[in-house]
Amino acid sequence: METAATTSALDTDAPAQMLQVFQQQRTTSQAWRRSTAEERIERLKKLQRWMEVNRNAIHEALYRDFGKPNPETDLTEIYPVQAEIKHAIKHLHDWMKPQKVKTPLQFMGTRSYIQYEPKGVSLIIAPWNYPFNLLLVPLVSCLAAGCTAMLKPSEETPHTSGLLERMVAETYQPHEVALFKGGKEVAQALLKLPFDHIFFTGSPQVGKIIMKAAAENLSSATLELGGKSPAIVDYTTNLKEAAERIAFGKWLNAGQTCIAPDYVLVHERVCEQLVQELRKAINGMYGGEGAQVKESNDYARIINKRHFERLKAALDEAADAGAVVETGGNFDAAQFFVAPTVVTDVPEESSLMQEEIFGPILPIRRYTDLSEAISYVNAKPKPLSLYLFTNRKEVETAVLQRTSAGGVCLNDTAIHYLQPNLPFGGVNWSGIGKAHGHWGFMDFSNQKPVMRQRSGLTSTGTFKPPYSPKIQKFINLMLKYL
Ligand code: NAD
C-alpha cells in the first residue's frame, strides 16, 4: 500500500509536498462528486474497522499523553467517533437524496430541488484535549459528504498524533486523506492552500487567525471554539443531583473539556449546600478529595507544564485576592496533577473569572435574583454551552429567552454533545457553524439549488422587454399578490 503523506516538521520542501497532496486530492474530490452512498460508507467502515482492531493502542496513546483513564477514552474518544460513523451509515442515503422544494405560482411549470454536493478538499485542524475524537468526528462528516481531507492533529499529544498518522497510513491513500504532523507553522503552511472547506477546533484566539487565513482564499470555515460555559443553579433544583452532574462534566478529562461548566452561578440560598454536595460528589467519584485524588485511576492529568503552571498561577492570583478554596487546591508538578478544586468569593477581575479555565478549578459565584445571573452571562462573550438546573418552568423560559449560547443542556452537563440528532457548535465567540450528524454532513456540503425550466410557454418568460403596458399590469399584480 502507498504510504500516507506525512511530515513531522515544516522542512523547506513541506509546502511543496502539501501542494502536491492538495493537487492530488483536488483530482480525487472532483471524481468523488459522483460518489455513491455505498462508496462513502465503505470509506467510513474502513475507519470503523481500524478503530475496532486498535482499541488498545488508542487507550495506550491517550494514557501516555495525559494519563487519560481507559474508560474515559472509551466514552469520550472512541464512542463519539463510532457513534458518528454508525449514525452517518444509517442516514447517508437520506442525507444525500436531492431535496425537492415547493414551486410558488409565479414559477409555475418549473421544478426545483437542493442537491448536496461535496465541497471538495477539506482541512481539519484539531486541538489536544480530545485529540482522537476531535480530529475524527469531523473526518466522518467530511467523508460522508464526499470530501477529501488533509488533517492537522495537535502537536501537544505526540502519542495520539503518531497513532493517528498510522491510522491514516493504514486506512487511506494520500490523495484521499493525508495527515500532517507539527505545530502552528504546519497549520499556517496548510492554511495558504485554497481549501474548499476548513474545519477548525480550538481556541477563539486561534479561531480568528484561521478565519483570516480562510478569507484569503474565500474558503468556507467551521469554527468550533471555546469560552466560559456557565452552570446556573436555581434553589428549586435537587442539589445532590445537580452537584453530581456538574462534577462529572467539570472533572471529566481533569476539566480540559470545551463544554465543561467553567463556573457556577448559584442562588445564594443554596450556595453552601451546593459546595458541600460538590465535595461529596468528588469523594464519590475519586474516593477522596484534594491530594487523595492522585491515587484514583479515574482522574486525568494536565496536558503539559505550561497549562499546569497557568492553572496554578490563576488559582494563586485568585487566592491572593481573597478567594476561598473550599476543596482541592493541591498541585503536583511531577505529575501535572491538579486536584478537583472548588473556589468561592473569586474576584471578578481575576483570570479565573475572565478567561476560559480549561482545567479542574470551579469558581462558584452567588446571585440573589435570576436577572443578575442572566446579566452576568450576557456581559461575557456567548458561551459554547449553558447549563441550567431548575425545577421551575418560568426560570427555564427566562434563561432560554434572555441568554445566547451555542447549546443548552437543562438539568445536566455535557451529555448534549452526544445526542446525534442535535447540532453541536458555538455562536460567535464560541464558534461559527454546526457539526455532528446531519449538520456535519451539511457543513461539508454545498447545498446546491437546482431549478429546471420547461420548454415552450413559461410564466417567467412573460416579464421580458419590451415592457408593454400589459406587462406592467402583470408586474403590478405580482407586486400586489405574489
Ligand atoms: P489552540 O487553538 O491553541 O490549537 C488548536 C490547533 O490550532 C492545534 O492543532 C494547533 O497546532 C493549531 N494552532 C495553534 N496556533 C496556531 C496559529 N497561530 N495558526 C494556525 N494554527 C494554530 O487550542 P488548544 O489549546 O489545542 O485547545 C484548547 C481550546 O480548544 C480551548 O479554547 C477549547 O475550548 C477549545 N475546544 C473547542 C472544542 C469545540 O468543540 N468547540 C473542543 C475542544 C476544544
Side-chain angles (χ1 to χ4, degrees):
M1 180 195 274
E2 205 179 324
T3 53
T6 58
T7 176
S8 294
L10 186 64
D11 49 24
T12 44
D13 69 348
Q17 188 197 3
M18 287 172 187
L19 184 63
Q20 188 189 10
V21 172
F22 181 85
Q23 281 165 337
Q24 290 168 350
Q25 289 209 2
R26 189 168 256 182
T27 308
T28 306
S29 73
Q30 282 165 5
W32 281 9
R33 283 191 193 145
R34 300 185 302 275
S35 57
T36 61
E38 281 69 26
E39 286 165 344
R40 298 183 193 184
I41 286 170
E42 192 39 49
R43 280 170 217 139
L44 295 175
K45 283 189 173 166
K46 282 187 186 176
L47 176 57
Q48 193 175 38
R49 285 193 289 267
W50 188 92
M51 287 175 65
E52 279 159 14
V53 173
N54 288 281
R55 185 168 162 203
N56 290 342
I58 303 169
H59 285 159
E60 196 190 319
L62 282 142
Y63 188 79
R64 289 177 74 187
D65 278 332
F66 56 125
K68 191 157 173 152
N70 291 350
E72 252 179 55
T73 293
D74 281 334
L75 265 179
T76 63
E77 303 277 4
I78 298 178
Y79 172 73
V81 184
Q82 291 287 22
E84 193 75 19
I85 293 175
K86 285 184 198 153
H87 188 71
I89 290 175
K90 189 167 167 201
H91 296 285
L92 192 56
H93 283 93
D94 277 347
W95 295 345
M96 285 175 69
K97 264 188 211 146
Q99 193 190 325
K100 281 189 194 153
V101 299
K102 285 186 180 162
T103 302
L105 195 60
Q106 62 272 38
F107 296 113
M108 214 168 47
T110 66
R111 294 264 182 280
S112 300
Y113 60 93
I114 302 163
Q115 185 176 333
Y116 299 97
E117 165 187 280
K119 280 188 178 168
V121 187
S122 307
L123 171 65
I124 300 173
I125 301 179
W128 55 264
N129 64 328
Y130 291 91
F132 192 81
N133 167 344
L134 295 173
L135 193 76
L136 297 187
V137 165
L139 178 64
V140 173
S141 300
C142 171
L143 293 173
C147 297
T148 65
M150 291 171 72
L151 310 174
K152 213 298 276 170
S154 172
E155 66 279 25
E156 307 280 5
T157 48
H159 298 101
T160 308
S161 298
L163 185 68
L164 286 162
E165 182 181 38
R166 175 159 78 75
M167 182 281 286
V168 170
E170 291 173 359
T171 313
Y172 302 106
Q173 302 289 322
H175 65 87
E176 300 171 332
V177 178
L179 184 144
F180 294 84
K181 279 199 303 185
K184 64 179 182 188
E185 305 76 24
V186 171
Q188 282 169 357
L190 285 164
L191 284 164
K192 294 207 167 75
L193 296 166
F195 285 98
D196 298 299
H197 190 67
I198 297 171
F199 191 106
F200 170 80
T201 308
S203 58
Q205 293 72 17
V206 179
K208 290 183 198 174
I209 296 170
I210 304 293
M211 203 161 167
K212 279 186 194 146
E216 283 302 314
N217 290 304
L218 292 177
S219 307
S220 56
T222 306
L223 303 178
E224 294 284 343
L225 310 177
K228 292 183 83 62
S229 296
I232 302 175
V233 180
D234 176 35
Y235 60 83
T236 58
T237 198
N238 176 331
L239 289 171
K240 179 177 184 297
E241 224 170 62
E244 285 172 358
R245 295 173 188 182
I246 290 170
F248 174 71
K250 179 70 188 184
W251 289 298
L252 177 78
N253 214 29
Q256 301 162 108
T257 303
C258 56
I259 48 171
D262 185 273
Y263 64 96
V264 172
L265 293 170
V266 58
H267 193 280
E268 59 181 0
R269 233 191 263 181
V270 292
C271 181
E272 249 103 274
Q273 211 184 327
L274 180 74
V275 169
Q276 291 319 313
E277 291 295 347
L278 282 166
R279 292 183 63 179
K280 284 188 207 158
I282 293 167
N283 276 280
M285 290 196 297
Y286 306 116
E289 54 187 314
Q292 292 168 327
V293 176
K294 224 190 295 181
E295 306 310 317
S296 168
N297 290 327
D298 298 332
Y299 187 69
R301 298 297 186 258
I302 302 306
I303 186 70
N304 57 27
K305 189 162 180 262
R306 181 168 64 86
H307 282 281
F308 175 84
E309 285 174 353
R310 175 184 63 81
L311 289 164
K312 185 156 188 341
L315 189 66
D316 287 348
E317 179 207 27
D320 288 349
V324 178
V325 176
E326 303 280 355
T327 180
N330 316 74
F331 292 80
D332 182 346
Q335 293 187 17
F336 298 152
F337 166 84
V338 180
T341 300
V342 175
V343 56
T344 52
D345 298 326
V346 183
E348 184 49 31
E349 57 288 353
S350 67
S351 59
L352 281 183
M353 295 317 293
Q354 293 300 319
E355 283 157 31
E356 181 181 10
I357 296 171
F358 220 58
I361 304 169
L362 183 64
I364 311 276
R365 197 187 148 90
R366 298 172 186 84
Y367 67 84
T368 25
D369 74 44
L370 189 65
S371 296
E372 189 191 327
I374 289 173
S375 305
Y376 187 84
V377 170
N378 286 341
K380 294 193 181 298
K382 295 170 193 167
L384 182 57
S385 296
L386 183 145
Y387 304 112
L388 171 65
F389 291 83
T390 184
N391 277 331
R392 292 189 292 170
K393 187 74 193 156
E394 66 274 21
V395 169
E396 184 182 312
T397 308
V399 171
L400 284 173
Q401 286 184 342
R402 292 168 58 194
T403 63
S404 176
V408 172
C409 186
L410 301 169
N411 301 320
D412 212 329
T413 64
I415 55 167
H416 62 303
Y417 177 86
L418 291 174
Q419 160 49 293
N421 298 314
L422 281 177
F424 178 80
V427 51
N428 299 127
W429 196 263
S430 51
I432 294 177
K434 299 285 183 198
H436 291 184
H438 194 197
W439 286 271
F441 168 86
M442 299 265 266
D443 238 17
F444 283 93
S445 301
N446 172 32
Q447 295 158 44
K448 184 161 77 177
V450 181
M451 192 166 177
R452 176 184 288 115
Q453 180 62 287
R454 69 200 288 269
S455 89
L457 194 65
T458 66
S459 53
T460 48
T462 319
F463 300 106
K464 62 176 191 296
Y467 299 120
S468 63
K470 193 171 147 206
I471 289 177
Q472 183 63 61
K473 246 188 201 167
F474 275 130
I475 293 173
N476 292 347
L477 283 172
M478 191 177 76
L479 283 172
K480 194 158 179 196
Y481 295 110
L482 296 177

